[in-house]
Amino acid sequence: MRIPVHQLPHGLGLDLPAYATAHAAGMDLRAAIPEGETWELAPGRRRLVPTGLVMAIPPGFEGQVRPRSGLALKHGVTVLNAPGTIDADYRGEVQVLLVNHGEEPFLLRRGERIAQLLVAPVAAWIWVPEPSVELLGDTDRGGGGYGSTGR
């Protein structure tokens, strides 16, 4: 499938999202911070990081912005609202909300791979109000909530 994408001036020269391996599910998103600058993400802090990309996700799909496992493992840096959603009708710049759960400051540089982007189908649903809970049907679990299925 094809997705129209535009690189904003501060994103020019950066690679477009791409699969790192033949069977990868996600494509890497890169930080479009100014050339020569280093942004510090201190422990416990969060920061919105631009990608320099505006895209047109097709109707019936969404973009999912997810953490990169290596950043999480090695530095404690992850996507705060994971997965972030890019709706099909959004036409603003894709930005990534990073948080540093690690113990050391994390330094961001231009072109750094900061997140993964997955494009996935979504279904549109319509709620059908029912006059009583009994009409929803019975299941083995019933109303059992948190911890009800054991450890």
Side-chain angles (χ1 to χ4, degrees), residues 2-80:
R2 300 169 65 92
I3 297 177
V5 63
H6 173 76
Q7 285 182 296
L8 296 169
H10 59 280
L12 291 175
L14 295 176
D15 291 338
L16 290 176
Y19 297 106
T21 64
H23 299 289
M27 298 171 267
D28 290 325
L29 291 172
R30 297 179 180 273
I33 63 177
E35 190 71 50
E37 284 189 24
T38 301
W39 289 4
E40 181 178 295
L41 185 57
R45 303 298 298 185
R46 60 188 176 272
R47 186 160 196 172
L48 199 55
V49 182
T51 66
L53 300 173
V54 177
M55 56 189 66
I57 303 287
F61 292 84
E62 68 165 328
Q64 298 176 2
V65 179
R66 297 184 179 193
R68 293 195 67 239
S69 58
L71 284 182
L73 175 64
K74 296 174 186 173
H75 305 284
V77 173
T78 190
V79 176
L80 187 57

Side-chain angles (χ1 to χ4, degrees), residues 51-126:
T51 66
L53 300 173
V54 177
M55 56 189 66
I57 303 287
F61 292 84
E62 68 165 328
Q64 298 176 2
V65 179
R66 297 184 179 193
R68 293 195 67 239
S69 58
L71 284 182
L73 175 64
K74 296 174 186 173
H75 305 284
V77 173
T78 190
V79 176
L80 187 57
N81 61 324
T85 297
I86 305 169
D87 293 310
D89 59 352
Y90 177 67
R91 293 298 183 272
E93 180 178 8
V94 173
Q95 298 186 67
V96 178
L97 182 56
L98 292 180
V99 64
N100 184 350
H101 289 303
E103 299 170 0
E104 302 292 328
F106 180 73
L107 301 179
L108 281 163
R109 294 176 181 83
R110 180 174 180 80
E112 182 107 31
R113 296 180 300 156
I114 55 171
Q116 294 186 77
L117 173 65
L118 279 74
V119 179
V122 294
W125 296 91
I126 297 173

